[in-house]
């Protein structure tokens, strides 16, 4: 499968039916998800590996990892509405045997994995909302792929935070993340915000 085909496939998955602003439930765009997954695939961090998708939402990263040859993906998601869509997406794409769904908060997940993939909350609605995701990722995996806002202050925080947990940044790619208007506080029909896709590795 080529990256372009992967992006198109992931773009066609069902998104959130009832997105919750307090959980910052924005669908991960197919091109951004494909970029993260392709980076992981090219580094040998997906095929034949066991992965965790923390805050899996509707399963975009989980499905993509399975399509790229993951042995197993643990999809961890706290929201029941999202889990319902996630299960439908993995059934439709024929990857149900590859994905095990954990309907729980990321803090309660404890399985060791080879690789973590995630699109955590940016912290726009609740400050530091991404920290439990980063802490758990560094606890359960040795390689982590994550998406964060491409702002100087966020980059400084990420650089210090990962170092404190014994990880280093090996890759960082900046992309535009499209957010369609879906909440009452959105002013634009479509917002494009720059994000960084990171690869962290335990030192």
């Amino acid at each position: 499968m080529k990256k372009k085909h992967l992006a198109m496939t992931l773009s066609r998955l069902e998104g959130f039916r009832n997105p919750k602003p307090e959980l910052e439930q924005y669908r991960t765009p197919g091109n951004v998800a494909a970029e993260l997954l392709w980076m992981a695939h090219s580094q040998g961090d997906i095929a034949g590996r066991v992965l965790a998708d923390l805050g899996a939402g509707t399963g975009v990263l989980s499905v993509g990892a399975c399509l790229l040859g993951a042995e197993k993906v643990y999809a961890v998601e706290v929201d029941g509405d999202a889990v319902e869509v996630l299960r439908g997406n993995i059934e439709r794409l024929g990857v149900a045997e590859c994905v095990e769904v954990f309907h729980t908060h990321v803090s309660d997940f404890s399985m060791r994995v080879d690789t973590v993939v995630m699109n955590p909350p940016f912290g726009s609605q609740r400050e530091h909302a991404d920290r439990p995701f980063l802490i758990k990722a560094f606890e359960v995996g040795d390689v982590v792929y994550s998406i964060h806002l491409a702002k100087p202050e966020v980059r400084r925080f990420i650089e210090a935070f990962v170092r404190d947990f014994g990880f280093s940044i090996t890759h960082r790619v900046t992309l535009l993340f499209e957010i369609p208007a879906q909440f009452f506080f959105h002013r634009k029909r479509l917002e494009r915000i720059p994000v960084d896709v990171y690869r962290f590795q335990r030192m």
Side-chain angles (χ1 to χ4, degrees):
M1 178 177 285
K2 294 182 178 178
K3 183 165 66 172
K4 184 178 177 182
H5 183 216
L6 178 65
M8 288 169 59
T9 301
L10 298 179
S11 294
R12 288 196 289 265
L13 293 176
E14 184 181 353
F16 294 101
R17 294 171 189 162
N18 180 32
K20 299 171 179 65
E22 68 275 14
L23 295 178
E24 294 191 41
Q25 289 181 327
Y26 301 111
R27 179 193 181 111
T28 307
N31 65 310
V32 175
E35 193 69 42
L36 182 154
L37 292 164
W38 205 260
M39 182 194 298
H41 179 59
S42 67
Q43 293 296 313
D45 294 325
I46 291 187
R49 305 286 187 177
V50 176
L51 283 77
D53 178 3
L54 302 183
T58 59
V60 174
L61 294 176
S62 295
V63 167
C66 289
L67 294 176
L68 291 175
E71 179 184 318
K72 190 79 177 176
V73 180
Y74 299 122
V76 186
E77 176 54 50
V78 71
D79 180 52
D81 291 337
V83 165
E84 194 176 317
V85 177
L86 191 162
R87 291 188 191 280
N89 280 333
I90 63 177
E91 286 288 343
R92 259 191 307 280
L93 269 291
V95 295
E97 288 187 7
C98 170
V99 181
E100 185 174 343
V101 179
F102 284 74
H103 182 189
T104 187
H105 192 273
V106 293
S107 299
D108 297 324
F109 177 74
S110 59
M111 307 283 284
R112 284 286 302 172
V113 297
D114 300 308
T115 308
V116 174
V117 294
M118 61 182 186
N119 176 22
F122 293 147
S124 304
Q125 299 304 309
R126 197 160 37 89
E127 202 175 7
H128 310 314
D130 56 346
R131 291 190 185 185
F133 291 81
L134 286 165
I135 290 168
K136 180 55 65 174
F138 297 153
E139 178 189 315
V140 302
D142 293 325
V143 177
V144 177
Y145 292 83
S146 190
I147 303 169
H148 300 270
L149 291 176
K151 292 182 174 180
E153 63 270 26
V154 176
R155 286 176 175 174
R156 285 193 295 271
F157 159 72
I158 292 289
E159 286 163 10
F161 199 78
V162 300
R163 194 165 54 243
D164 289 346
F165 279 83
F167 278 72
S168 64
I169 298 168
T170 64
H171 297 69
R172 187 182 75 197
V173 177
T174 305
L175 304 167
L176 287 178
F177 190 113
E178 291 191 349
I179 299 178
Q182 61 183 28
F183 297 128
F184 68 92
F185 50 81
H186 285 149
R187 295 285 174 262
K188 294 182 181 178
R189 190 174 60 81
L190 184 69
E191 190 83 55
R192 290 183 177 88
I193 58 171
V195 297
D196 289 327
V197 177
Y198 287 92
R199 180 183 187 270
F200 309 127
Q201 186 166 14
R202 193 182 301 277
M203 290 189 283

